[in-house]
Amino acid sequence: MYKMKHFKQYKSKEQQSGFTLIEIMVVMVILGLLVAVVAPNILGRGEQARVTVAETQIREVSNALDLYKLDNFSYPGTEQGLEALVSKPSGFPEPKNWNKDGYMKTVPVDPWGNPYQYISPGVNGPFDLYSLGSDGKEGGDEEGADIGNWDIKE
């Protein structure tokens, strides 16, 4: 009788629930972004935190561009821009298998409030994706330097 009483406390395998891999990955990305933004600000490294956020966003947009290429056999053209990841673009190259759900919900802006720059084909690879940095101008050095997909280590 003792065993039966306590047996009812356990759920069957059908009633147990867990997290999917995607849910866990989303939480990890959010935690990573929070750590990248909050921790350095507390330690007085706000500018380095913005650089880290920009690098993370460039990686995420680059991954979305790679998915776009897998579906459509080419990256969006410079004129189509990063908006091609959110809504189906017109023009050349025509996306033949564009994902009806898009590749991103929105195109992020860099931590300084400026849009990311996108050129396809790029000088440094199949595309160039970069932030103009804290100064908002091409080039720059140290804290004002551009941050591009060619600089980011995997």
Side-chain angles (χ1 to χ4, degrees), residues 8 11 49 58 82 84 103 105 132 137 140:
K8 293 179 183 178
K11 295 180 178 180
I58 288 170
L82 296 176
Y103 300 90
K105 297 284 183 210
L132 297 173
K137 299 176 185 169

Side-chain angles (χ1 to χ4, degrees), residues 78-140:
T78 302
E79 302 244 341
Q80 293 169 318
L82 296 176
E83 281 300 317
L85 300 173
V86 177
S87 58
K88 186 174 182 179
S90 58
F92 184 79
E94 180 183 347
K96 299 188 186 288
N97 298 315
W98 194 84
N99 183 339
K100 65 181 173 69
D101 295 325
Y103 300 90
M104 298 185 85
K105 297 284 183 210
T106 60
V107 177
V109 294
D110 72 15
W112 300 276
N114 301 313
Y116 283 99
Q117 307 299 306
Y118 172 73
I119 301 171
S120 175
V123 175
N124 300 298
F127 62 86
D128 288 346
L129 176 63
Y130 60 100
S131 165
L132 297 173
S134 63
D135 63 2
K137 299 176 185 169
E138 291 274 343

Side-chain angles (χ1 to χ4, degrees), residues 25 29 55-71 75-76 82 85 99 102-104 108 118 127 129 149 152-154:
M25 289 176 60
V29 167
E55 290 172 346
T56 300
Q57 288 177 329
I58 288 170
R59 275 191 205 99
E60 290 173 0
V61 174
S62 293
N63 289 339
L65 285 164
D66 289 339
L67 289 173
Y68 180 99
K69 182 183 181 205
L70 282 173
D71 287 348
Y75 292 105
L82 296 176
L85 300 173
N99 183 339
Y103 300 90
M104 298 185 85
Y118 172 73
F127 62 86
L129 176 63
N149 62 323
I152 299 172
K153 296 177 178 114
E154 294 297 321

